[in-house]
Amino acid sequence: MLRSKILNRIRLLKPVIDRRCMSSASKTPLTLLEVDDKSGIATLSLNRPPVNSLNIDLMNSIIESITEIEGNKSRGLILTSANDRVFCAGLDLNELHKPNQERLKEFWAVFQDVWLALHLCSVPTAAAINGHAPAGGCLLATACEYRVMLPQMTIGLNETQFGYMAPKWVMLSYLSVLPRRLAERALTQGKLFTTAEALDVGLVDEIAASKEEALAKCSTFIDSFSKANPLARSLTKKQIREPDVQKLIADRAGDLKECLEYINSPLLQDGLGAYFEALKQKSRSKAGKS
Ligand SMILES: CC/C=C\C/C=C\CCCC/C=C/C(=O)SCCNC(=O)CCNC(=O)[C@H](O)C(C)(C)COP(=O)(O)OP(=O)(O)OC[C@H]1O[C@@H](n2cnc3c(N)ncnc32)[C@H](O)[C@@H]1OP(=O)(O)O
């Protein structure tokens, strides 16, 4: 009786609609999921070249993997990247720049869902940040309970750098990790922390010299819960995170409306266009194209 009551409570707290997403047309899977048969820990690798930018398919694939991990009784989830330079480049700017309105609505709903799924994941979560993690990439990392980062990378909510303001719930994810005054300064500056700076302010918990070491440190974190009852642990985590989550769940439509108005404003579209063009130009000059 008590167990079913507890399970119902978890279901109530878990607002993400379980979805079986259609695999994308591309041949390679957008996420790679491996469960270590000794430790029972699942490693979820983002695998969307060139920079794991978050489009609808990748975010659906992440949600599907989290649902699978929660269902197969994995002892924990380590989020990392199959790319050794970039953890996640944040939202795919193609989804935000001159967007199709119907697709933008779906995109934003899935963006909300992927944060809810990771932020409320019932198993212990850790991010092995083996590459740059700006904006939405930083959000995925802060949705996890623990962060281990490799040197010479950057992480942060840099939205003001490309003319945007992060939504309230994205800011709350930052505030769950950083002290308010620091979070405010970093958000308004659009600051990208270096690995050393991120460790110094507590945005990441440890630094690792290699991806293997980062994965091992994440596993050690997950093992720290070995004496805790999994159900009690999951409920405790959700109870603590519920106030932030409810701020989004209580007004998802309002958040979508605000996002559509904001993203579609000509001023912001111009700023985003210039930012995206500069990125492409940088990439072309790197590749030796004029
Ligand atoms: C009330 C307010 C409500 C709503 C507000 C609305 C929106 C706010 C949303 C807030 C939440 C999140 C926002 C985001 O995540 S927006 C995305 C922000 N991301 C970035 O700023 C990162 C940009 N990229 C980089 O800095 C570098 O690419 C990176 C990641 C450091 C990697 O560098 P490098 O390895 O050198 O690779 P290149 O720069 O050469 O890039 C290779 C290739 O990828 C393309 N690319 C890079 N980033 C993105 C991206 N985010 N989306 C799409 N494409 C990207 C780049 O253009 C190159 O492509 P090319 O074809 O030219 O080779």
Side-chain angles (χ1 to χ4, degrees):
M1 177 59 178
L2 174 63
R3 183 175 166 74
S4 58
K5 261 180 82 177
I6 289 176
L7 286 175
N8 275 335
R9 177 138 177 72
I10 286 184
R11 263 191 283 282
L12 281 174
L13 280 178
K14 188 171 161 34
V16 176
I17 307 134
D18 284 356
R19 64 180 78 220
R20 292 284 141 209
C21 69
M22 297 300 287
S23 61
S24 71
S26 67
K27 291 180 185 45
T28 48
L30 296 170
T31 53
L32 308 170
L33 183 56
E34 293 162 88
V35 182
D36 182 304
D37 51 14
K38 290 198 196 67
S39 69
I41 294 174
T43 300
L44 175 52
S45 302
L46 304 179
N47 186 44
R48 184 178 180 245
V51 292
N52 291 332
S53 54
L54 298 166
N55 68 350
I56 290 176
D57 284 350
L58 175 52
M59 293 192 286
N60 274 329
S61 190
I62 295 168
I63 292 167
E64 188 179 26
S65 301
I66 292 171
T67 305
E68 190 177 331
I69 287 163
E70 290 180 314
N72 68 11
K73 304 276 171 281
S74 295
R75 282 186 44 241
L77 158 59
I78 301 174
L79 181 67
T80 190
S81 166
N83 172 324
D84 61 6
R85 267 187 62 79
V86 184
F87 174 73
C88 169
L91 296 182
D92 186 331
L93 294 168
N94 295 292
E95 300 274 13
L96 299 174
H97 188 228
K98 297 182 182 150
N100 167 288
Q101 294 307 302
E102 281 318 301
R103 183 174 169 89
L104 181 59
K105 287 176 191 162
E106 183 190 356
F107 173 75
W108 198 259
V110 178
F111 181 40
Q112 293 171 338
D113 273 346
V114 76
W115 177 69
L116 290 168
L118 191 53
H119 197 66
L120 291 175
C121 183
S122 57
V123 301
T125 54
I129 309 167
N130 57 324
H132 298 291
C138 177
L139 180 68
L140 294 184
T142 55
C144 294
E145 296 162 48
Y146 200 74
R147 283 158 293 283
V148 183
M149 192 165 171
L150 267 59
Q152 271 95 47
M153 300 298 173
T154 55
I155 183 171
L157 293 182
N158 62 328
E159 283 79 356
T160 55
Q161 282 190 20
F162 47 91
Y164 278 69
M165 169 178 71
K168 282 188 281 293
W169 51 278
V170 173
M171 293 187 190
L172 286 170
S173 201
Y174 225 29
L175 282 161
S176 70
V177 173
L178 293 177
R180 183 180 191 80
R181 183 163 177 268
L182 183 71
E184 178 185 314
R185 191 174 356 150
L187 276 162
T188 48
Q189 289 170 341
K191 181 169 178 61
L192 286 172
F193 293 90
T194 63
T195 303
E197 289 170 335
L199 181 71
D200 189 41
V201 299
L203 183 51
V204 301
D205 300 285
E206 291 187 71
I207 293 179
S210 68
K211 179 177 179 179
E212 292 63 34
E213 188 186 333
L215 292 170
K217 287 174 183 274
C218 287
S219 298
T220 303
F221 168 75
I222 290 167
D223 288 343
S224 72
F225 298 101
S226 57
K227 292 195 171 55
N229 171 294
L231 210 47
R233 196 208 83 88
S234 170
L235 264 178
T236 303
K237 170 180 172 179
K238 288 186 175 159
Q239 191 77 17
I240 287 171
R241 292 181 173 216
E242 192 178 353
D244 285 355
V245 164
Q246 283 306 328
K247 290 199 176 79
L248 172 57
I249 294 170
D251 191 22
R252 288 188 69 157
D255 178 66
L256 172 64
K257 182 171 175 292
E258 193 178 24
C259 144
L260 293 177
E261 281 164 12
Y262 205 79
I263 288 177
N264 286 315
S265 72
L267 190 63
L268 292 175
Q269 278 294 315
D270 291 351
L272 185 65
Y275 180 77
F276 202 3
E277 187 46 42
L279 262 186
K280 291 183 179 148
Q281 184 51 43
K282 182 194 86 168
S283 176
R284 279 195 293 271
S285 55
K286 242 184 359 180
K289 295 174 214 145
S290 59

